[in-house]
């Protein structure tokens, strides 16, 4: 064949059909009129003219390349395309390899080469000269050479600046310490016309090429960033290729260049199945390729597992199954169809091949190739795919890739979606070589249906997905638009944040999901989990709470398995995470508490003090070793706290009942813990003859109004025979030290954090003399102090005091002593002033302006408590029936005794009921203070339910009215602050 007959012009045999022939002819003629006569003769052939008309009609991008340089076009047409491609690449390499070439000149050289290659490939493709395989090979060849040329420039620049010491400046990549791996279509040499390139960069931190003062990681990271800028940045000459670095290990938390050992460790420990599929196509393209070859050889066991991997393959095809869980994708459309991701598209052909490669490639080395069509044929040769499938899928692949290239040639955009507009679709059909839309549509649908048929047959036994969820795709590194839309539909206000969190689980960013088994179970669970979160009322809060829980959990298989097998449990779990952080934390540390929550017997009897006491005696043996007792106590208490919280959250119990349950549980735990501490103490120090102690509960524990977040206000009172003040054991102590140390041990046992977590916070500041007094108080001292030294506020605290543990005889004496103090006669006027001043002090020091601080706000619980306590101290001498501890009970008794107007008393009781109901829910559902403006929808909904009002707006109005009424009564009773 002569040189002329082998030229591109001589080989042209096709051209796009014209949509606007007159406009196309006008453009071509206008262009011809300004041509250099030396070039014009090369454009006269009918085949060339037809092709130029097609470009002028359909592709603004290609037509700009034509008119920009007629000499370039003439040279292309006059030479065989393969030869001209190599000439372009050699020219690019020579320019970039010039000594000390400025980076700006490198960028220009690369971009000019890109323009030449883009035009050449388009002419050979549209002209029917090159097959799809030849087109993708040429595009890949250019990308490989461009990446390699750019990195050589950067390596030489680093050598000149003294950061590297290259072994051979003429071949800087040898021993340079960094390798660029191409993945995706570049890796498989199947690059499309306007594709991104997916590359990852790995470096050897111990390479001798690094200069003495050069730190590997920051140097190579900056080098890769510079590489990406050289290739991707748009200048007056355009861009070279868009660079995507997100296929590296966990791109959300890693730098753009990773050490080889770190990368290997990631894949070995956390690598996902979709990453195995991506690495099938991995290929070293620039830098020290020998490093890349060795890395991929070492990584081979991760990519290619020895045994047929049917279970793990769920991760790979789950993405397509999830996409198609939405019924909107059930039809193959033409207008607006995505030729890559849509049904019957390129991705299905690729998945058809890759999934089987992953299943069988571990035992069949011949199935480890990167090119789709090659591996499709190899699957047939190996007996896994029939001849019809190979023929249909190969034809469809070539057709769809051709259509993909036509779409991208129009404006050099990375798009795979057919036009939706009828006129634009008709024009595109002509550009693709069809006479009309009907002909194009028939061909397109036939290929897509063939792909869909074979793909569906391959996965016909795959487990179905819940179509309720819609598209929920978290494989890979990009946000799937349909997934974000599904998340919005599920009620997620921050869908991108939710998607990133789920991807983070798959990347193993949380300790609980770092095992392959955990991630496989989680993959199956995620759609149902997100639906459960959506039902909680605050899906974003539920998901973030789950994410935090995973960060605290060492392992999660047990929890995931429980949730996967029990739909009711999953709904409860979503509810808990959405609105109850305390319960969520309990699940995170003790997943088995969920078992109790779905056990009807456990849930029905939760909070029953008789059952609790009996269970405590069985489980909490006082003679157990310290560590075991402390662990058992925490397990016992946390499980019961969880059940009480679930009953409150589920409205099985009203808030008042929950307050009693929390308080009874705390009292039982204190009794068991005191018994254990005494038993241990007696073995070490014996007993004090005639000695005894009792634990007094104050505050909300005393009044049995505890919430999920309450601490324990305690006081320990003891007594002994003064004639026998020393204990009888091997290490005797005098009574004062004996009971002081016993109190310290009790506090430690209740508060210390063990491997099972914390139990309660204990506050001893309400004891005589507060923080300055001894931890334990002798009965005689207690009586004297209360009679002669105690201030009014200390007597106020005693209105809630009750003995909850210790010696029964001493307990009776303590109760009697407290009653004596409370029934003493007082100067009513002085008492009134003292209580009012105490309330004013609290307001000054802690504030009272936050209306939703139900305790401290003006007209809030402190006002109610202080009024009830004032009434007890003022009137209990004449009315001992007022010694009731609970504020609401005291107010009711005050009304019965006609000590307070019935209407005012009813208003106070109603306010107290509302406040305590709300506070129970707030303490369960909010960590810290409650702010309606920033709280989640689910939390506000629960608070409204607790108020028994229809909506939050009305609740806020009722709360404000209650606060005003309470403060007005307070001022009437005690005076203005």
């Amino acid at each position: 064949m002569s040189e002329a007959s082998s030229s591109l012009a001589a080989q042209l045999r096709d051209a796009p059909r014209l949509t606007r022939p007159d406009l196309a002819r006008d453009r071509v003629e206008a262009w011809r009129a300004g041509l250099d006569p030396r070039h014009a003769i090369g454009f006269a052939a009918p085949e060339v003219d037809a092709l130029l008309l097609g470009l002028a009609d359909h592709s603004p991008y290609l037509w700009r390349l034509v008119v920009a340089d007629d000499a370039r076009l003439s040279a292309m047409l006059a030479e065989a395309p393969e030869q001209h491609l190599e000439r372009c690449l050699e020219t690019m390499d020579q320019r970039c390899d010039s000594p000390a070439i400025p980076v700006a000149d490198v960028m220009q050289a690369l971009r000019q080469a890109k323009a030449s290659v883009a035009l050449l490939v388009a002419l050979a493709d549209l002209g029917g000269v090159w097959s799809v395989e030849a087109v993708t090979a040429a595009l890949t060849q250019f990308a490989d050479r461009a990446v390699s040329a750019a990195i050589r420039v950067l390596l030489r620049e680093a050598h000149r600046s003294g950061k590297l010491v290259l072994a051979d400046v003429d071949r800087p990549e040898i021993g340079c310490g960094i390798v660029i791996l191409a993945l995706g279509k570049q890796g498989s040499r199947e690059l499309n016309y306007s594709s991104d390139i997916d590359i990852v960069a790995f470096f050897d931190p111990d390479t001798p090429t690094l200069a003495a003062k050069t730190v590997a990681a920051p140097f190579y990271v900056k080098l890769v960033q510079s590489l990406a800028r050289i290739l991707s940045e748009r200048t007056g000459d355009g861009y070279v290729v868009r660079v995507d670095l997100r296929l590296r290990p966990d791109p959300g938390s890693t730098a753009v260049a990773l050490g080889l050992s770190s990368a290997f460790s990631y894949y070995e420990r956390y690598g996902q199945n979709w990453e195995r599929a991506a690495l099938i196509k991995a290929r070293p393209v620039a830098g020290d390729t020998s490093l890349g070859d060795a890395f991929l050889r070492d990584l081979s066991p991760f990519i290619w597992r020895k045994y047929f991997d049917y279970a793990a393959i769920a991760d790979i095809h789950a993405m397509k199954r999830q996409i198609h869980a939405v019924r909107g994708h059930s039809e193959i459309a033409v207008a607006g169809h995505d030729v890559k991701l849509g049904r019957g598209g390129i991705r299905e052909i690729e998945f058809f091949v890759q999934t089987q490669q992953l299943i069988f490639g571990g035992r069949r080395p011949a199935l480890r190739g990167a090119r789709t069509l090659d591996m499709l044929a190899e699957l047939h040769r190996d007996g896994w795919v029939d001849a019809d499938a190979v023929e249909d899928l190969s034809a469809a692949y070539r057709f769809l890739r051709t259509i993909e290239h036509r779409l991208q040639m129009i404006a050099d955009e990375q798009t795979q979606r057919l036009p939706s507009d009828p006129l634009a679709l008709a024009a595109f059909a002509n550009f693709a070589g069809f006479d009309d839309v009907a002909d194009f549509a028939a061909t397109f649908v036939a290929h897509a249906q063939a792909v869909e048929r074979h793909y569906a047959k391959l996965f016909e036994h795959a487990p179905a997905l819940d179509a309720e969820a819609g598209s929920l795709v978290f494989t890979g590194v990009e946000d799937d638009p349909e997934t974000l839309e599904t998340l919005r539909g599920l009620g997620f206000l921050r869908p991108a944040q939710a998607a990133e969190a789920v991807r983070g689980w798959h990347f193993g960013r949380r300790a609980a999901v770092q095992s392959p088994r955990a991630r496989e179970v989680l993959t199956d669970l995620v759609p149902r989990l997100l639906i459960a979160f959506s039902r909680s009322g605050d899906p974003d809060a539920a998901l973030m709470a789950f994410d935090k829980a995973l960060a605290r959990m060492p392992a999660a298989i047990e929890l995931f398995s429980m949730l996967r097998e029990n739909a009711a449990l999953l709904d409860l779990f979503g509810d808990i995470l959405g609105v109850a952080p305390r319960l969520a934390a309990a699940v995170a540390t003790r997943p088995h508490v969920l078992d109790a929550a779905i056990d009807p017997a456990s849930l029905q009897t939760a909070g029953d003090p008789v059952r609790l006491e009996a269970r405590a005696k069985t489980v909490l043996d006082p003679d157990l070793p310290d560590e075991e007792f402390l662990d058992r106590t925490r397990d016992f208490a946390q499980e019961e706290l969880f059940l009480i919280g679930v009953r409150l959250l589920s409205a099985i119990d009203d808030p008042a009942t929950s307050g009693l349950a929390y308080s009874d549980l705390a009292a039982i735990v204190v009794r068991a813990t005191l018994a254990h501490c005494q038993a241990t103490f007696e073995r070490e120090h014996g007993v004090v003859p005639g000695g005894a102690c009792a634990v007094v509960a104050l505050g909300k524990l005393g009044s049995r109004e505890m919430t999920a977040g309450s601490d324990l206000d305690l006081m320990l009172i003891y007594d002994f025979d003064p004639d026998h003040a020393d204990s009888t054991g091997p290490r005797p102590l005098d009574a004062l030290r004996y009971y002081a140390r016993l109190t310290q041990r009790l506090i430690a046992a209740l508060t210390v954090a063990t491997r099972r977590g914390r139990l309660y916070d204990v506050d001893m500041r309400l004891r005589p003399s507060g923080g300055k007094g001894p931890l334990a108080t002798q009965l005689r001292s207690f009586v004297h102090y209360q009679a002669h030294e105690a201030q009014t506020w200390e007597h106020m605290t005693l209105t809630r005091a009750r003995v909850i543990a210790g010696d029964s005889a001493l307990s009776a004496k303590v109760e009697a002593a407290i009653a004596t103090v409370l029934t003493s006669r007082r100067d009513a006027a002085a008492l009134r002033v003292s209580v009012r001043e105490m309330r004013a002090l609290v307001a000054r020091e802690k504030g009272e302006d936050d209306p939703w601080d139900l305790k401290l706000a003006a007209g809030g619980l402190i006002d109610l408590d202080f009024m009830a306590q004032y009434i007890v101290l003022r009137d209990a001498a004449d009315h001992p029936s007022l010694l009731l501890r609970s504020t609401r009970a005291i107010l009711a008794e005050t009304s019965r005794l006609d000590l307070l107007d019935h209407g005012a008393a009813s208003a106070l009781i109603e306010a107290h009921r509302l406040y305590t109901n709300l506070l129970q829910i707030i303490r369960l559902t909010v960590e810290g203070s409650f702010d309606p403006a920033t709280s989640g929808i689910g939390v506000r909904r629960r608070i409204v339910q607790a108020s028994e009002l229809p909506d939050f707006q009305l609740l806020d109005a009722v709360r404000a009215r209650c606060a005003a009424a309470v403060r007005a009564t307070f001022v009437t009773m005690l005076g203005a602050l």
Side-chain angles (χ1 to χ4, degrees), residues 176-194:
C176 66
I178 187 169
V179 61
I180 307 298
L181 297 182
L183 284 77
K185 287 185 168 61
Q186 185 188 4
S188 61
R189 295 184 173 88
E190 298 171 315
L191 208 58
N192 58 49
Y193 192 80
S194 295

Side-chain angles (χ1 to χ4, degrees), residues 754-965:
T754 74
R755 60 181 178 174
R756 296 288 203 274
R758 295 181 59 82
L759 194 53
Y760 290 106
D761 289 323
V762 173
D763 191 342
M764 301 287 289
R765 291 174 297 175
L766 296 184
R767 69 186 188 272
S769 300
K772 296 179 181 179
L775 281 176
T777 305
Q778 188 178 2
L779 178 60
R780 182 178 59 191
S781 298
F782 173 78
V783 171
H784 180 272
Y785 180 86
Q786 295 296 340
H788 302 289
E789 300 177 40
Q791 299 179 50
T792 299
W793 71 266
E794 292 176 286
H795 288 169
M796 292 167 68
T797 65
L798 287 184
T799 62
R800 293 181 167 187
R802 66 186 174 103
V803 179
I804 60 170
D807 180 78
S808 58
L810 179 60
S811 297
K813 292 179 183 178
V814 172
E815 295 277 12
I818 292 171
T820 299
V821 173
L822 296 178
T823 55
S824 299
R825 293 195 179 278
R826 293 170 175 81
D827 183 322
L831 177 65
R832 183 173 185 265
V833 171
S834 181
V835 173
R836 182 178 68 245
E837 289 179 348
M838 178 56 59
R839 178 65 183 96
L841 176 63
V842 172
R844 286 196 303 273
E845 293 190 349
K846 297 188 176 182
E848 63 171 7
D849 297 329
D850 179 358
W852 276 97
D853 186 334
L854 300 177
K855 178 180 177 182
L856 295 174
L861 280 169
I862 287 233
D863 280 13
L864 290 164
D865 293 341
F866 275 33
M867 282 189 282
Q869 292 161 13
Y870 166 71
I871 291 167
V872 171
L873 297 180
R874 184 190 67 185
D875 298 321
D878 295 322
H879 303 286
S881 61
L882 288 167
L883 302 182
L884 293 169
R885 301 189 183 95
S886 160
T887 294
R888 200 181 308 176
I890 293 169
L891 292 172
E893 182 64 10
T894 301
S895 178
R896 190 187 70 80
L897 294 170
D898 291 326
L899 299 174
L900 183 63
D901 175 76
H902 291 287
S906 295
L908 296 182
I909 291 168
E910 181 57 28
H912 188 273
R913 187 192 67 81
L914 176 66
Y915 293 163
T916 53
N917 284 2
L918 298 179
L919 200 60
Q920 283 288 357
I921 293 294
I922 288 172
R923 291 291 184 262
L924 185 68
T925 60
V926 178
E927 292 180 308
S929 59
F930 170 65
D931 181 355
T934 59
S935 65
I937 297 171
V939 171
R940 292 200 300 273
R941 187 184 69 192
R942 296 304 173 121
I943 290 172
V944 169
Q945 287 174 350
S947 73
E948 299 176 358
L949 293 169
D951 56 55
F952 195 88
Q953 185 176 4
L954 181 58
L955 166 59
D956 200 25
V958 170
R959 178 210 51 75
R961 287 200 299 271
C962 286

Side-chain angles (χ1 to χ4, degrees), residues 251-263:
S253 59
T254 58
V256 294
L258 276 72
L260 285 164
S261 59
S262 297

Side-chain angles (χ1 to χ4, degrees), residues 318 321-323 325 463-468 524 527:
R321 292 192 294 110
Q322 288 166 343
I323 287 174
L465 289 175
D466 186 349
E468 178 185 355
D524 184 51

Side-chain angles (χ1 to χ4, degrees), residues 147-148 151 176-183 186 197-203 220 223-224 227 231 243 245 256-257 282-289 291-292:
V147 175
S148 184
I151 203 166
C176 66
I178 187 169
V179 61
I180 307 298
L181 297 182
L183 284 77
Q186 185 188 4
I197 61 170
D198 296 297
I199 61 174
V200 292
F202 300 134
F203 63 85
Y220 286 119
L223 186 143
V224 173
L227 173 68
L231 296 172
V243 175
L245 293 157
V256 294
R283 177 172 61 88
V285 295
D288 190 346
T289 56
L291 278 180

